[in-house]
Amino acid sequence: MPSSKTGVLVIGSGAREHALAWKLQQSPSVDHVFIAPGNGSTDFDIPKSVDVNDASSIRSFCVARGISLVVVGPENPLCKGLVDEIEAGNADGKEILVFGPPKAGAQLEGSKKFSKQFMKEHGLPTADFEDFKSVNEAKAFIERVNWPSYVLKADGLAAGKGVIIVDGVAEAKNVAERMLGGEFGAASAEIVIEEKLEGYEVSALCFTDGKTISRMPFSQDHKPLLEGDRGPNTGGMGVIAPLVLPSNVEAEIDQILKNTIAALAKSNIPYKGCLYAGFMVTPKGCKLLEFNVRFGDPETEVIMPLLDSDLYTICAACCRGTLSSVQVNWKSENVVGIVLASEGYPVKPIVGRKVEGVPEHSSETVVFHAGTKRTEQGLVTSGGRVFCVVSIGNSFQEARSHALAVSEQVKFEGKYYRKDIGHFLFSRGNVSYSASGVDIAEGNALVASIKDVCLSTRTPGTDSIGGFGALVDLEKEGFKKPQLVIGMDGVGTKIAVAEATGLYDNLGYDLVGMCVNDVLCHCARPVAFLDYYVTGHLVKEEAASVIRSVAKACKESGCALVGGETAEMPGVYHKGQWDVAGCCIGAREKSWPMLPLTESVTPGDVLLALPSNGLHSNGFSLVRKIVSDNGVSYKDPAPWNPLVSIGEELLRPTKLYVKSVLGVLKSGKVKAIAHITGGGITENLPRVFPPHVAAEIECGSWSIPEVFDWLHSNGPVSPPEMLKTFNCGVGLILVVDPKNQESVTDSLLSNGESAIYKIGSCIKKTAKDEVVYKNLENTFKYRFVKSKAKKVNVGILISGAGSNMKKLIEKSLFPKSNCSVRVVISNKADAGGIAIARSYGIETVVVPSVGEREEYEAIMTKELEKRGIDLICLAGFMRILTASFVNRWEGRIINIHPSLLPSFKGAHAVQLALEAKVKIAGCTAHVVDVEVDSGAIIAQEAVPVYDNDTEETLHERIKVKEHAVFAEAMELMAQKLLEKSA
Ligand SMILES: *[C@@H]1O[C@H](CO)[C@@H](O)[C@H](O)[C@H]1NC(C)=O
Ligand SMILES: *[C@@H]1O[C@H](CO)[C@@H](O)[C@H](O)[C@H]1NC(C)=O
Ligand SMILES: *[C@@H]1O[C@H](CO)[C@@H](O)[C@H](O)[C@H]1NC(C)=O
């Protein structure tokens, strides 16, 4: 930290500049923040002597007032080269750092045409476009491309308003004529016409020094004037941050930002400051909509309160090219910004109205000034957007309610603001952000469109569809000596989830996915598909939506939908009950490898995993149980992706692998391929192994979609059970000789797969397990276990495999549990229970039981105290505890004993029960006191003894009861302890 403080000058007058100045003022290096030309806020000094259009007036003010940093807010001065002009004086004057790109870099925003061409030239993904000066050429282009919707942009700066979106050719031609005719003056003398992309918009802002980038949290603004996203577009009526995006989308955006900076450097375009990229997240990936060369407004107002680092240091590092050495941290809170607009905005805002009731800044809420001005009558409105009211909170709901309260409090005539900012985070209502949403039209039009979609799947060999059956001409399909591979499947109880959410759009796609992926495993190309749809009462829209998605998937996997059956069977199926099944006919050349080459699979072969797209079509019975046990609604936003509901996440369509995989199968470099469906890796992978081979899987070696983490922790479902029920992120596994690993991987990547994971290898089978999982604890993360309720901290002591411990942990993971298992202590370093505890994300400690009992017990007590343990469960802990330990934890240690106490205390309880020839044995959960097995009884359960019972069989049956009784006892004790402490 420099010992002498410095001043900062912010150029601009909006809420964005107010927010930047507000944040800069908090810097320990800054003693004075000026803003010019400024607005009606009294937070900062507004120097009258500074002419913001004149670099020399800015320089002399900076020199006079000890200012070392100028931050330029708006785009206009940047595009005119203000940064270059101020910096030009650095050569033989005082060094002044200027945050913002020079003129050459500012073209990215200054000229839409330059920016689009830059994107095209450097392979940055964006919509198709063309630019025009001539009305006739523009009209001819619009007719020729015949897109459903168009975006027309004025080439020059039009204060964020020179963009018009229209549907249809006629309207587009009309608007092109108006724009080129001078609607936006000189700015629209040239226009860019591009295709409108479908999806949702995201703003990504980053700090950059031209070499590295540091991305800020994502935000989303609300452009339409009216609630429910209706009405004309504005500069932004409100904004929320952070916006959590799916991790793959986030990674894609970061890569595009990096590529952009690299492209700028490669083109020798100097750039520093803030780069703002607007994206459309579409089903085909993220596409750039535009670049801005400065902070966004209103995005900045919600991003600055989240910044947990010193803005001055960051800005200075961007100017000096040292950004990579600065740590930029963000708070994990939620921010909502609401814009208070003037009457008449955005067309003709009425200004000059008196403002009252603006509160002081508080720790929750800051009111940033935008269009305000100080006059002799006090504060008045002077623009369309008057204030941005920004609140921070632990949840969006909390932040929004603060912001709404203050928005109400601020008074001026004609004030208007949207009360639904962030609405899509709270309720899904009518606004669908689903990127793959299909607009379902009515009745016959729909059926006709399905016919077209079906016809569009035809291939050369399936050209003549019709009649009673379908003809497939394999010769025309290009096969010389064809063999057929036929597979059939359904979508299981995924239907029930679709039913509960009303989202049928992807079920047909799933159906095809399940079948074609099966056929692919035998190195065959799907050629034809037939579907069967049955219902108690035919609802055209629902049936059509399913069939349409069957056709879509057929087309994507290159197979023809040659026929099908839609059956209405009232009485057999109830009204509203339905099912769907399908059959895929695949063909293969006799000379292609006949997969699986089971006999050739040997220890040492590597296992390559292809990512799945989510659950695909398996495990839905368990999914439904988890959803209902947790009281979750399918319409709730997914905790990991609030733009999408849990239902939509669960229903993500099955991934199709034909296009990316078939080629490498034909090459002969793959020995076998397993489609990971119901039964998970555990049951599907061994299907392609010879008897002497097993798989060793390294857990954590592949990326697991969040939905599985969520199911895991909300079930709770143990990792082994997860791997036996769901695909857990792995759609296909290829078995490959290590010498072919690289070329197979390269081929898959170049054919469109996004990632290939080496997840393990084949080993010689020694135990009965056909799949051996290593480091199970690395499989899942625990990001979705959260509860605010007060819980009793539980410590578990073990010595062995920990089967009782596992049940205690699982019980504690139920949302309604009053227990939180904080630590598992084992007296043996090799106890099997340690890995199990870790697989649930629970801390483990080994305290070897060597030396004096008092000594190691003292260590255990310390470990337990350190974690605030209130209750200790002995789960197969094989050591006697001293009286002093028991007294230290009096009434807080519980144990489970395999007899109906007070009968058969001590060791060998089961044996003693058998010898005594009792008819009823059982188990008892009790409080541990100084005497052996004599403390207060918490719960008991009886187990019948059979004539044919051995100690082993009886103990086995008792253990099953123990699991339930002990877990129940733990909860009972916890509830008592909570009541006592309350
Ligand atoms: C959705 O929009 C329709 C038509 O605009 C309206 O009738 C309906 O009430 C809206 N539903 C919700 C949940 O807002
Ligand atoms: C936790 O305690 C509350 C109130 O004390 C009780 O209603 C609830 O049933 C307890 N939970 C369990 C799983 O026993
Ligand atoms: C033992 O006896 C019980 C009850 O008579 C019977 O259900 C069970 O099948 C028997 N088990 C064996 C292994 O014979």
Side-chain angles (χ1 to χ4, degrees), residues 600-608 668-672 693 734-746 756 758-763:
S600 76
V601 172
T602 64
D605 285 346
V606 297
L607 301 170
L608 299 180
K669 288 179 178 163
V670 175
K671 294 184 177 185
V693 170
L734 275 52
V735 184
V736 174
D737 188 304
K739 73 171 196 285
N740 292 326
Q741 179 187 337
E742 204 177 308
S743 68
V744 168
T745 305
D746 287 349
I756 305 297
K758 184 194 167 207
I759 60 165
S761 47
C762 293
I763 56 170

Side-chain angles (χ1 to χ4, degrees), residues 790 811 814-819 967-968 970-972 974-976 978-979:
K790 186 168 164 14
K811 183 89 183 176
F814 275 93
K816 290 190 201 86
S817 169
N818 291 311
C819 302
E968 198 50 47
M970 173 180 76
E971 288 294 344
L972 285 170
Q975 208 177 326
K976 264 202 219 153
L978 282 180
E979 278 161 17

Side-chain angles (χ1 to χ4, degrees), residues 795-798 823 825 847 852-865 869 871-874 877 879-894 928-930:
I796 304 179
L797 307 190
I798 63 166
V823 66
I825 300 184
V847 180
E852 294 295 323
R853 273 203 279 169
E854 283 80 1
E855 271 173 33
Y856 67 76
E857 282 182 354
I859 301 174
M860 288 201 303
T861 292
K862 219 171 180 182
E863 294 291 346
L864 294 164
E865 283 172 345
I869 299 300
L871 180 63
I872 300 170
C873 300
L874 306 182
F877 184 67
R879 287 282 151 167
I880 309 262
L881 298 165
T882 62
S884 76
F885 186 84
V886 172
N887 289 333
R888 160 64 186 84
W889 299 98
E890 192 190 350
R892 287 169 187 265
I893 308 177
I894 63 172
V928 173
D929 73 8
V930 180

Side-chain angles (χ1 to χ4, degrees), residues 503-525:
L503 302 167
Y504 303 95
D505 292 352
N506 291 326
L507 280 187
Y509 199 97
D510 285 312
L511 179 67
V512 176
M514 297 314 286
C515 297
V516 298
N517 291 344
D518 275 348
V519 164
L520 175 68
C521 290
H522 300 285
C523 195
R525 173 160 78 74

Side-chain angles (χ1 to χ4, degrees), residues 576-588:
Q577 207 180 18
W578 59 285
D579 198 4
V580 61
C583 171
C584 175
I585 293 114
R588 41 173 279 111

Side-chain angles (χ1 to χ4, degrees), residues 343-372:
E343 183 178 348
Y345 179 73
V347 181
K348 199 160 182 270
I350 301 174
V351 299
R353 285 182 164 159
K354 208 164 159 40
V355 181
E356 280 167 337
V358 181
E360 294 283 303
H361 302 325
S362 72
S363 59
E364 281 134 18
T365 307
V366 185
V367 180
F368 293 121
H369 289 240
T372 64

